[in-house]
Amino acid sequence: MARRKGKRSNINTSLRDIGGIASFIQGNGITKLSALVFGLGNLLRKQIIRGLLMFFLEIVYIYYMITVGFNSIADFITLGTSIQAETFNEAKQIYEYVPGDNSMLCLLYGVVTIFLTLGFALFAMTSVRSAYVTQKKIEYGEAIPSFKDDLASLKEQNLHKSLLFLPVSGVLCFTIVPLIFMILIAFTNYDKNHQTPGNLFDWVGFKNFSAMFAQNGSLSNTFWPVLNWTIIWAVFATFSCYIFGMLLAIVINREGTRYKKFWRFIFIMSIAVPQFVSLLTMRTIFNTNGPVNAMLRNIGIIGPTEAIPFFTDSTLAKITIICINVWIGVPFSMLTTTGILQNIPKDLYEAAKVDGANAIVAFFKITLPYMLFITTPYLITSFVGNINNFNVIFLLSGGGPESLEYYYAGKTDLLVTWLYKLTITNKDYNLGAVIGIVVFIILAILSLLTYRHTGSYKDEEAFQ
């Protein structure tokens, strides 16, 4: 009996690892026909409900393709051919609009149809594999599971499928499909001059990318300066908050500091205030007629009609934004580093004192390496977040001061705020999609290269 159970376990393991293509190659005629008629192998082997469900899904897909799918693929290729037109109705003596194609819907329905077709192909492999598993169970003399057994398996060995079905479906429908749709827009001329259905847009290939990177073009003359400022901003915003937050945590946690809870409470209070409130308040404070300029006029540092251009001079605006971001971001870094600092072994500092190391040497030899080792993923995440930090730039300067040299961008615009202006303000959705792709590529490369060259990745057990 034990030998029979071991043999059955080995059979189930081998069947579980086999794929749809291998099942098609190794299966008999009925198994191979299951690729054309879904569930055929199950129906002929008395798995009626499972076979009917598979066959029903195949019929639904075929019906969809006949009624909608083939037209969607054709429209996906052309992005529409019929333009909305205005005709005069002789009977009613009025002008009427004849509906035309909608290129955006043609693109969307085409993407959905392609994904459904890929799902249909995967389901065909599932049908073949299911038929092959049933075939092998019959050959080995095992009992064929009923539909009740299939339902029971969803609570036991197939529990992962039950738990992952809804999350995977949600990611596919609300993340992957919209993402592919937005990427494809970058290869069209969908801009303010091609708003559907009045004016259809078309496929243009890599024309938008060429325009973005071409020399002496209006787009390239905007893209490169905005990209440079985006990188500079991300570096300063990330490391200034990190370093000052860590130093603040060290000062509060040192043995000689009194009222530690009070100081932590003071800085945590700034976190409790919504960020947009803090940013709008700072924008008012440093405005041309804000309290700072008014105070400087009253004490005579500047003239009665003068004002320091905190947000109207490009260089000063960038410095002001970085400084305000430090004030907002330091409490978060302080909280993050406080817990890590408290976990550094005290023996390391005692040994450093015995060797004659002062506080500065101990910081650079013990504290900083330990912190960088632990917080490298946090730094990468912060860097990525700062490249896409829409709130700080938009609420403080709005991307300004504006520049006639740039294409719908200001001197303090990041790529993400420029993308916002291109899409929401100027309706250049194709250019916005190009910028989105470029930002993704930059972040993916920087994140992967940075993480793979850090101690957190190379020497995982160094501080254990």
Side-chain angles (χ1 to χ4, degrees):
M1 179 66 69
R3 184 181 301 174
R4 185 176 180 181
K5 288 183 177 180
K7 182 179 179 181
R8 181 179 301 175
S9 176
N10 293 333
I11 293 171
N12 291 332
T13 302
S14 62
L15 292 177
R16 186 167 55 248
D17 296 335
I18 194 169
I21 297 177
S23 300
F24 182 84
I25 295 173
Q26 300 175 19
N28 57 21
I30 295 176
T31 299
K32 288 181 170 62
L33 284 175
S34 297
L36 297 177
V37 182
F38 291 1
L40 179 63
N42 301 104
L43 285 170
L44 297 179
R45 289 159 183 153
K46 298 182 180 180
Q47 290 181 306
I48 305 299
I49 299 179
R50 183 195 291 192
L52 289 176
L53 287 175
M54 290 184 176
F55 183 69
F56 173 75
L57 291 176
E58 182 181 19
I59 295 299
V60 170
Y61 173 79
I62 294 173
Y63 176 78
Y64 169 80
M65 292 300 295
I66 293 174
T67 56
V68 178
F70 291 117
N71 290 331
S72 297
I73 295 297
D75 291 339
F76 176 78
I77 297 173
T78 62
L79 294 180
T81 56
S82 176
I83 300 176
Q84 177 178 281
E86 186 181 48
T87 59
F88 185 75
N89 190 322
E90 294 289 347
K92 297 181 180 179
Q93 293 295 304
I94 60 173
Y95 284 95
E96 295 180 340
Y97 285 98
V98 178
D101 294 329
N102 189 319
S103 293
M104 186 172 64
L105 294 181
C106 292
L107 180 61
L108 177 60
Y109 293 158
V111 171
V112 172
T113 302
I114 290 173
F115 270 90
L116 289 177
T117 302
L118 292 175
F120 179 79
L122 292 175
F123 197 72
M125 297 173 62
T126 302
S127 173
V128 173
R129 183 183 179 279
S130 177
Y132 179 74
V133 169
T134 306
Q135 170 194 328
K136 300 304 290 185
K137 284 183 177 292
I138 293 175
E139 292 177 0
Y140 286 114
E142 291 190 13
I144 300 175
S146 63
F147 184 69
K148 184 178 180 181
D149 296 329
D150 293 336
L151 293 178
S153 70
L154 295 177
K155 299 180 181 179
E156 297 176 2
Q157 64 266 30
N158 291 322
L159 179 62
H160 60 287
K161 296 180 181 179
S162 303
L163 297 177
L164 290 175
F165 176 76
L166 286 178
V168 170
S169 300
V171 169
L172 180 65
C173 295
F174 301 110
T175 301
I176 297 179
V177 171
L179 183 62
I180 298 298
F181 172 77
M182 295 304 300
I183 290 174
L184 290 176
I185 286 180
F187 300 92
T188 70
N189 58 350
Y190 184 28
D191 56 15
K192 59 180 177 296
N193 297 320
H194 296 84
Q195 298 295 309
T196 57
N199 195 358
L200 304 176
F201 58 82
D202 303 305
W203 296 107
V204 295
F206 290 92
K207 183 178 178 181
N208 297 321
F209 292 88
S210 300
M212 188 68 68
F213 299 111
Q215 293 183 353
N216 298 324
S218 60
L219 289 174
S220 62
N221 289 338
T222 306
F223 173 77
W224 294 112
V226 171
L227 175 62
N228 291 336
W229 160 237
T230 300
I231 299 299
I232 293 172
W233 151 259
V235 171
F236 275 94
T238 300
F239 289 99
S240 60
C241 292
Y242 178 75
I243 293 172
F244 286 120
M246 180 169 54
L247 293 176
L248 180 62
I250 291 174
V251 171
I252 294 177
N253 289 318
R254 70 187 184 94
E255 295 181 358
T257 303
R258 302 176 62 185
Y259 310 113
K260 296 181 180 180
K261 294 182 179 179
F262 171 77
W263 295 116
R264 290 196 190 103
F265 172 77
I266 291 297
F267 287 100
I268 290 174
M269 281 292 293
S270 63
I271 299 177
V273 179
Q275 190 182 77
F276 80 94
V277 175
S278 301
L279 293 173
L280 291 177
T281 302
M282 283 295 175
R283 180 174 181 173
T284 302
I285 291 174
F286 289 96
N287 203 353
T288 302
N289 296 315
V292 173
N293 277 312
M295 181 183 66
L296 295 176
R297 294 191 193 101
N298 292 334
I299 61 180
I301 294 180
I302 59 177
T305 59
E306 296 178 346
I308 297 178
F310 289 108
F311 295 120
T312 54
D313 178 79
S314 60
T315 302
L316 188 56
K318 293 175 181 179
I319 296 174
T320 303
I321 290 171
I322 292 174
C323 292
I324 294 175
N325 183 73
V326 169
W327 176 77
I328 293 175
V330 159
F332 292 94
S333 299
M334 182 202 71
L335 287 180
T336 302
T337 55
T338 294
I340 301 173
L341 288 171
Q342 293 175 347
N343 288 326
I344 299 178
K346 302 296 182 182
D347 298 341
L348 296 177
Y349 293 106
E350 294 175 359
K353 284 185 179 180
V354 172
D355 293 338
N358 56 28
I360 297 177
V361 174
F363 173 79
F364 284 102
K365 295 295 183 179
I366 299 175
T367 306
L368 187 59
Y370 189 94
M371 292 295 298
L372 290 175
F373 180 85
I374 299 297
T375 59
T376 296
Y378 164 77
L379 284 174
I380 295 174
T381 304
S382 298
F383 183 81
V384 172
N386 282 317
I387 284 183
N388 292 316
N389 197 331
F390 179 86
N391 291 343
V392 173
I393 302 298
F394 188 79
L395 294 176
L396 283 179
S397 67
E402 299 298 328
S403 173
L404 297 177
E405 302 172 0
Y406 291 175
Y407 182 81
Y408 288 96
K411 291 291 186 178
T412 60
D413 266 319
L414 304 180
L415 287 175
V416 64
T417 56
W418 186 33
L419 185 155
Y420 174 84
K421 290 180 179 180
L422 286 175
T423 54
I424 302 301
T425 304
N426 204 44
K427 309 296 184 184
D428 288 330
Y429 299 105
N430 54 339
L431 300 179
V434 171
I435 295 174
I437 293 173
V438 171
V439 170
F440 169 77
I441 293 174
I442 293 173
L443 292 180
I445 293 175
L446 288 178
S447 300
L448 291 174
L449 290 179
T450 304
Y451 182 68
R452 288 180 65 87
H453 286 81
T454 58
S456 300
Y457 178 82
K458 292 182 177 180
D459 194 8
E460 188 175 344
E461 299 180 357
F463 284 93
Q464 293 182 359

